[in-house]
Amino acid sequence: MQVQSITRLLLVEDDPGAAAVLRSMFHEARSPIQEFKHLEQMSAAEQYLSEHSVDVILLGLELADADGLEAVRRARAAAPRTPLVVFAGRDDDSLAVKALQEGAQDYLIKGEIEPRGVVRALNCAVERKTIQEALLQEKELAQVMLNCIEEAVVCTDTTGRITFLNLAAETMSGWSRDEAQGRPMAETLRIVDASNREPITNPIADRSVYLPENCVLIRHDGVEIPIEDSGSSIYYRGEQAAGAVIVFHDVSAVRAMSRELTYSAQHDFLTGLPNRLLLNDRIQQAIAMAQRHRKQVALLFLDLDGFKHINDSLGHPMGDKLLQSIARRLVNCIRASDTVSRQGGDEFVVLLAELHHWEDIALTAKRILNAVAGVHSIQGRDLHITTSIGVSVYPDDGLDAETLIRNADTAMYQAKEKGRHTCQFFEAEMNARAVERQTIEESLRSALARHEFVLHYQTKVNLRTGGIIGAEALIRWTHPTLGSITPKLFIPIAEECGLIVPIGNWVLREACNQARAWADAGLPMTTVAINVSSLELQQENFLTSLFAILDETGIDPALLELEMTESVLMERSESAASILLSLREKGVQVAVDDFGTGYSSLSYLRKFPVDALKIDQSFVSHISGAPDNASIVSAVISMARSLKLRVIAEGVETLEDLAFLQTHQCDEGQGFYFGKPVPAGEFALLLQRGLLQTVAEEDLERRIAVLARELEERDRRIATAELENARLQRIVDELDANRAATHASPEMQSASSEDPMLKIRFQE
């Protein structure tokens, strides 16, 4: 505790001589007082104290406007926290003592003081005031702390009489502190042993006493409350007993809290549905009942389709309200004996107990699909969402909760792959696919370190000149034991587990290094196109990492083209627009990949600074035989030309496809007609030879092969016709022979003349 030094002093004294003496004393004692204020009236002092603060007040008790204790009281009222020293006459000792009782810290007698004594008295007054303030603060703090805790605290003296009750004790006992003060504990705080109704008196014999667990507090109004409590004796300096303190609380509140904690441990905090723990217990109970009654149990594993987009675009509070709405609808879709559980995130599990027929499962699943897909009106918005459901059935798909949940989860992923918003029952083959998926995910985590990836390059052609203008870098993976794994299989897995980000960085660096190597070898400069996933675009350091790779490899940014799907751009439209602007400023080109399969909106094409549209191969492949596709491709080309965007057609496979695209003035093409993706070395040879010669040679070879097949087919048809002619000639010869023999028989001639029908048949 630090005592402040006195630098500001207020003297209230109407005797100018006494004031002058005191001023000179302070000067002679070389005191630290820097500001000495002298006022002659109490009213002036009150006004001064309302505007200024001082370290100590030296107050005379014989003022013109305030005499004796009145001056003390007025000074205390004006500055209640400032130390006060009174200045009394020789015959006013008794008055000075009364001043101390009114709150003064010390007093001085006129004519009996000397400079050092005055300074010492003032310092002591300040110190005592500081100690008093500290004690009051500690007492108030202790009082506040005891009143804030939920535990009831009761103190007694050595005779067992109440000396203190905190607010909790007042509430629980029904006695106020003033009413209980000084009363015996047995009278005010009646605690009995519930088992034998024996009263428990104030424990002061031992330092710590633990009261029976089944104590009952009998309140002032006679109501009994079960409590848990403990008592401890209070000792001064560890030796002399001073009383006891008893701390107790209402067990009913604890039990209610325990029930609440148990509920919280078994239920989802957001929806109030049973969680994994409670679901597992109910599944085991359902299985036991199914075994006994020879019935079935079904688990429906639900995962919402596109929930992440709602969370990201509208915020988590809106997403939480949507989850609550879905939870209510799921509960309304099932029987009272069934269970809906939230597993976390946007996953739910529905337990259907004691089923008689498989049809019941299908009907419930259909009801759930329709219920979830209905409009959810939340805070003035109409939200639409669907769910995918996987189903497993006891005992066919598992004999315990863990297996049933795992198999239902596996079936749910199959439902996702089949287009979402559907239900899929578990099949044994799904486990094999799930194991394969897990194997691929585990292998992906080490594929980069083991250098198992390689890039192939597919030619991009200028459809006006026929020259090679670029290549799309396509990743290929050769697993040491599984062999070649198609990108359609491992890319979605890499996106789900987050590995697409390091893989994407590797593809970018490898492709840029290769483009630089082709340029250093003197080959024609060509653009390199690279696919960018949504997860890559969401990385905070996406641009920083990309520009660092460009600087590291030394490639011209204009030779890099990033391909992004419409859905990737629309998921985070604001941030995507900012990223595309930065790419354009750097010179990097951007193409919208798989155009026509997503939003295909003119509004975002105007919003996003893109350079090209890449028509999805599903519209381009064999376009001559699909009038609808031809119309779509023609419209996209016209739209892109009006927006001054390049158009790239992927999936060009036939000469007819190429002719159509050239007729409609498509800018670039890519597909098997020009060549399959090849390693970097083979693509370098294509650059050396030039695509026109290569395509012409390959086209000539294809035409020769087609002609040979046509000649072979013609020869086969001729041989078949000759054989058919020979067979027909034999039939004719046989008919002629039979006709000649028939005409030579007299019986046949007579019969035929009598039977017209026979005659007709014979003639035929």
Side-chain angles (χ1 to χ4, degrees):
M1 179 180 61
Q2 184 177 2
V3 180
Q4 66 179 24
S5 59
I6 302 173
T7 59
R8 296 166 299 178
L9 182 142
L10 172 62
L11 172 64
V12 185
E13 173 60 55
D14 59 1
D15 183 355
V21 171
L22 287 172
R23 187 186 298 274
S24 63
M25 284 185 178
F26 291 132
H27 178 71
E28 293 175 3
R30 297 181 180 180
S31 70
I33 295 176
Q34 300 174 2
E35 182 179 338
F36 182 92
K37 182 67 174 178
H38 173 221
L39 298 173
E40 296 184 352
Q41 295 183 352
M42 193 65 229
S43 58
E46 290 172 331
Q47 178 63 32
Y48 181 83
L49 290 172
S50 67
E51 300 174 356
H52 303 82
S53 61
V54 297
D55 298 325
V56 66
I57 300 173
L58 186 57
L59 177 66
L61 296 180
E62 298 176 354
L63 302 176
D65 61 344
D67 188 24
L69 296 181
E70 180 188 354
V72 176
R73 296 188 185 103
R74 290 175 64 178
R76 293 286 296 150
R81 304 182 66 86
T82 304
L84 177 65
V85 177
V86 296
F87 198 51
R90 291 179 178 273
D91 300 328
D92 291 339
D93 286 5
S94 60
L95 181 60
V97 172
K98 292 179 180 179
L100 295 179
Q101 296 173 353
E102 291 290 336
Q105 274 66 49
D106 205 345
Y107 67 91
L108 298 172
I109 302 298
K110 294 180 181 180
E112 298 181 3
I113 58 175
E114 47 88 19
R116 292 184 180 180
V118 173
V119 173
R120 185 167 54 251
L122 295 178
N123 285 330
C124 289
V126 172
E127 183 175 355
R128 281 193 293 272
K129 184 63 176 179
T130 303
I131 294 173
Q132 288 177 358
E133 290 289 335
L135 291 174
L136 285 174
Q137 289 179 1
E138 290 182 5
K139 182 178 179 181
E140 291 175 356
L141 178 61
Q143 186 73 38
V144 170
M145 291 176 62
L146 289 173
N147 285 332
C148 286
I149 64 175
E150 296 181 357
E151 301 280 334
V153 179
V154 179
C155 295
T156 69
D157 58 17
T158 55
T159 64
R161 294 182 178 276
I162 302 293
T163 59
F164 173 80
L165 276 76
N166 70 346
L167 290 178
E170 289 181 330
T171 302
M172 290 183 62
S173 67
W175 289 83
S176 68
R177 186 186 310 172
D178 294 337
E179 290 176 328
Q181 188 83 24
R183 292 177 178 270
M185 190 188 77
E187 177 184 338
T188 56
L189 197 68
R190 299 169 56 196
I191 302 176
V192 300
D193 189 330
S195 58
N196 53 25
R197 308 300 295 180
E198 291 291 330
I200 300 173
T201 57
N202 184 23
I204 60 173
D206 299 319
R207 293 179 182 265
S208 295
V209 174
Y210 297 95
L211 303 179
E213 295 182 357
N214 56 346
C215 288
V216 173
L217 170 66
I218 302 177
R219 290 186 3 163
H220 191 20
D221 56 6
V223 176
E224 295 187 359
I225 303 175
I227 62 171
E228 289 181 353
D229 56 9
S230 62
S232 178
S233 298
I234 302 175
Y235 287 84
Y236 288 147
R237 302 182 181 274
E239 297 294 338
Q240 182 181 0
V245 59
I246 301 173
V247 181
F248 57 90
H249 58 273
D250 190 342
V251 175
S252 59
V254 174
R255 289 176 181 172
M257 184 180 296
S258 177
R259 288 192 297 269
E260 182 178 348
L261 290 175
T262 301
Y263 180 88
S264 299
Q266 296 179 341
H267 291 77
D268 173 52
F269 74 96
L270 178 64
T271 62
L273 296 176
N275 60 12
R276 294 173 183 266
L277 180 65
L278 185 54
L279 175 67
N280 287 343
D281 180 65
R282 292 191 178 178
I283 293 175
Q284 296 298 340
Q285 294 180 23
I287 289 175
M289 294 294 292
Q291 289 175 337
R292 186 178 308 166
H293 299 154
R294 296 183 180 180
K295 294 182 179 179
Q296 294 177 323
V297 175
L299 279 186
L300 281 63
F301 199 108
L302 285 68
D303 186 271
L304 302 181
D305 304 324
F307 179 75
K308 183 177 183 299
H309 176 68
I310 292 178
N311 246 359
D312 293 342
S313 59
L314 301 181
H316 289 276
M318 184 70 75
D320 289 345
K321 292 186 180 300
L322 177 60
L323 290 174
Q324 292 170 343
S325 175
I326 291 171
R328 290 191 294 269
R329 295 190 183 185
L330 293 178
V331 171
N332 292 333
C333 289
I334 62 172
R335 304 166 299 176
S337 58
D338 300 327
T339 299
V340 178
S341 168
R342 183 183 177 218
Q343 298 292 285
D346 59 344
E347 294 180 341
F348 297 84
V349 172
V350 177
L351 167 65
L352 305 179
E354 295 198 73
L355 295 172
H356 298 276
H357 307 289
W358 280 70
E359 292 79 3
D360 297 336
I361 305 173
L363 289 174
T364 302
K366 183 177 181 179
R367 190 159 55 245
I368 289 174
L369 289 173
N370 293 335
V372 173
V375 178
H376 299 263
S377 298
I378 300 175
Q379 293 183 348
R381 288 180 176 268
D382 289 341
L383 303 183
H384 299 267
I385 196 167
T386 60
T387 186
S388 299
I389 303 177
V391 182
S392 64
V393 180
Y394 168 87
D396 299 341
D397 303 327
L399 301 178
D400 55 66
E402 181 181 356
T403 304
L404 288 172
I405 292 176
R406 183 176 64 249
N407 290 341
D409 189 13
T410 300
M412 182 273 296
Y413 276 104
Q414 294 298 314
K416 292 275 189 185
E417 294 179 2
K418 287 183 178 293
R420 305 187 177 189
H421 186 43
T422 186
C423 175
Q424 182 72 34
F425 282 80
F426 175 78
E427 299 174 1
E429 294 78 8
M430 294 180 182
N431 265 336
R433 291 195 291 270
V435 171
E436 179 187 30
R437 184 193 182 283
Q438 182 63 27
T439 301
I440 291 175
E441 180 178 339
E442 293 174 356
S443 301
L444 271 175
R445 299 187 181 278
S446 56
L448 274 177
R450 295 178 180 177
H451 307 288
E452 295 172 1
F453 292 122
V454 68
L455 290 185
H456 284 193
Y457 299 87
Q458 187 171 34
T459 304
K460 295 175 69 176
V461 179
N462 185 319
L463 297 185
R464 294 185 178 86
T465 65
I468 298 176
I469 58 173
E472 181 178 0
L474 300 170
I475 190 170
R476 297 293 183 263
W477 181 22
T478 302
H479 191 277
T481 57
L482 300 177
S484 179
I485 301 178
T486 174
K488 290 184 178 180
L489 182 59
F490 73 81
I491 290 297
I493 297 175
E495 290 178 340
E496 289 177 12
C497 62
L499 292 174
I500 195 65
V501 175
I503 291 175
N505 285 335
W506 177 86
V507 170
L508 178 62
R509 179 175 280 102
E510 185 73 10
C512 290
N513 278 325
Q514 187 58 65
R516 181 67 185 180
W518 287 332
D520 293 343
L523 296 175
M525 301 293 288
T526 59
T527 61
V528 178
I530 298 170
N531 289 284
V532 177
S533 70
S534 174
L535 284 178
E536 293 177 87
L537 201 65
Q538 293 174 17
Q539 299 301 306
E540 293 184 359
N541 63 341
F542 172 75
L543 288 175
T544 304
S545 176
L546 186 148
F547 294 155
I549 291 175
L550 290 176
D551 294 339
E552 173 189 331
T553 58
I555 184 177
D556 183 356
L559 297 180
L560 178 63
E561 185 172 71
L562 301 182
E563 296 185 355
M564 307 176 188
T565 65
E566 300 167 83
S567 59
V568 167
L569 294 175
M570 293 302 294
E571 281 184 8
R572 294 178 177 269
S573 58
E574 296 299 328
S575 60
S578 175
I579 291 174
L580 295 187
L581 284 174
S582 299
L583 292 173
R584 169 161 288 185
E585 292 174 358
K586 189 72 173 179
V588 177
Q589 301 182 65
V590 175
V592 179
D593 197 12
D594 299 339
F595 187 80
T597 62
Y599 296 89
S600 302
S601 170
L602 288 174
S603 61
Y604 87 80
L605 287 178
R606 290 195 300 266
K607 178 179 181 180
F608 295 136
V610 298
D611 302 285
L613 301 182
K614 194 169 186 180
I615 305 175
D616 186 70
Q617 61 181 353
S618 62
F619 299 109
V620 177
S621 180
H622 303 294
I623 194 172
S624 58
D628 292 340
N629 287 352
S631 300
I632 293 174
V633 172
S634 176
V636 171
I637 294 174
S638 299
M639 178 185 66
R641 293 180 65 83
S642 66
L643 295 174
K644 298 181 180 181
L645 300 176
R646 288 185 295 112
V647 183
I648 308 166
E650 61 176 342
V652 182
E653 298 184 356
T654 66
L655 183 61
E656 290 76 10
D657 297 341
L658 175 60
F660 179 91
L661 294 170
Q662 288 176 326
T663 301
H664 289 80
Q665 299 182 339
C666 183
D667 299 302
E668 301 173 16
Q670 176 183 344
F672 285 178
Y673 180 77
F674 305 113
K676 296 181 179 181
V678 295
E682 294 185 29
F683 187 79
L685 294 176
L686 291 176
L687 291 176
Q688 290 176 344
R689 293 169 57 190
L691 183 67
L692 275 177
Q693 178 183 353
T694 302
V695 172
E697 292 174 353
E698 292 178 352
D699 187 48
L700 179 60
E701 292 175 358
R702 283 195 293 269
R703 290 180 179 275
I704 292 174
V706 170
L707 181 59
R709 287 195 297 271
E710 290 176 352
L711 291 173
E712 182 180 351
E713 179 64 20
R714 189 191 65 177
D715 291 342
R716 187 187 64 79
R717 288 198 300 270
I718 291 173
T720 302
E722 290 176 349
L723 291 174
E724 183 66 16
N725 289 336
R727 187 180 69 83
L728 292 174
Q729 186 61 47
R730 287 196 300 273
I731 294 173
V732 171
D733 293 343
E734 291 176 359
L735 289 174
D736 290 342
N738 290 336
R739 187 180 297 111
T742 304
H743 282 294
S745 172
E747 293 82 6
M748 185 60 68
Q749 292 176 358
S750 175
S752 62
S753 62
E754 296 175 358
D755 187 353
M757 294 302 296
L758 179 59
K759 183 177 181 179
I760 292 174
R761 287 196 295 270
F762 178 74
Q763 290 175 351
E764 291 176 351

